[in-house]
Amino acid sequence: MNTIAVDPDAGLARLLPGAQFADAYALDMAPPKLDARRAAERIMARSPRWIATLLALRNLVVAPFGLHTRPPSSPSGLGVLGIFPVLSQTPDRLVAGFDDSHLDFRVVVDISRISERQRVTLTTLVLTHNRLGRAYLAAVLPFHRVIVRAMLRQAREA
């Protein structure tokens, strides 16, 4: 039950038009069946200690640049999961993220059936606005891939 890299769903581009970066990872697991909100809660509501430490370091580094160090409130009224304001949700898809001066991002949790198993797919979309956004994306990308896989594995935990 390892996470695998998959092609991002091309239809998700409408969630963040012009996004220059997109990746997706999937985890196939046996039932019980999760809806997108419950899967997203398992993935994002808590972080392993090493991820929390990296996030605290990130916040110290970016604060002087005026970047968000705390999640903004959810404009949809659907709450915040971890550091991600929830923008929309259906039983099969939850979209979270926010717009900032340097970049906008979306995190999408999709639920689908693959034969007798359930697939949870975590997609990230990023639209950079300036040099700071491009530099930030380049700096976090190596960590992003490891973090996303670790967080996605939490979907199978009870």
Side-chain angles (χ1 to χ4, degrees):
M1 287 211 270
N2 290 326
T3 60
I4 57 170
V6 296
D7 291 330
D9 178 349
L12 294 178
R14 66 179 168 70
L15 296 175
L16 193 60
Q20 299 104 335
F21 174 81
D23 71 358
Y25 294 90
L27 174 69
D28 294 342
M29 52 191 227
K33 184 170 172 29
L34 297 173
D35 66 11
R37 178 72 185 216
R38 184 69 184 121
E41 288 170 349
R42 288 183 178 188
I43 293 166
M44 295 185 251
R46 62 183 175 78
S47 296
R49 183 172 298 202
W50 64 272
I51 294 174
T53 300
L54 282 175
L55 185 60
L57 179 61
R58 173 247 182 232
N59 289 343
L60 286 172
V61 170
V62 303
F65 298 101
L67 304 183
H68 287 294
T69 57
R70 292 184 176 190
S73 61
S74 175
S76 66
L78 296 171
V80 175
L81 291 176
I83 62 168
F84 305 106
V86 178
L87 304 175
S88 67
Q89 72 179 44
T90 68
D92 296 328
R93 174 172 289 160
L94 181 135
V95 180
F98 57 85
D99 300 343
D100 206 342
S101 60
H102 67 307
L103 59 77
D104 303 342
F105 76 94
R106 301 292 180 269
V107 177
V108 183
V109 176
D110 282 308
I111 301 296
S112 58
R113 297 286 290 175
I114 304 292
S115 187
E116 297 296 318
R117 303 179 74 71
Q118 181 177 40
R119 174 166 281 187
V120 179
T121 304
L122 183 60
T123 303
T124 305
L125 305 165
V126 179
L127 171 65
T128 61
H129 298 301
N130 51 38
R131 265 188 276 192
L132 178 59
R134 290 186 293 280
Y136 178 86
L137 181 60
V140 301
L141 217 46
F143 302 101
H144 164 81
R145 292 180 175 112
V146 175
I147 291 170
V148 167
R149 289 177 176 204
M151 300 294 286
L152 183 56
R153 283 191 293 271
Q154 295 183 140
R156 69 173 167 231
E157 296 176 9

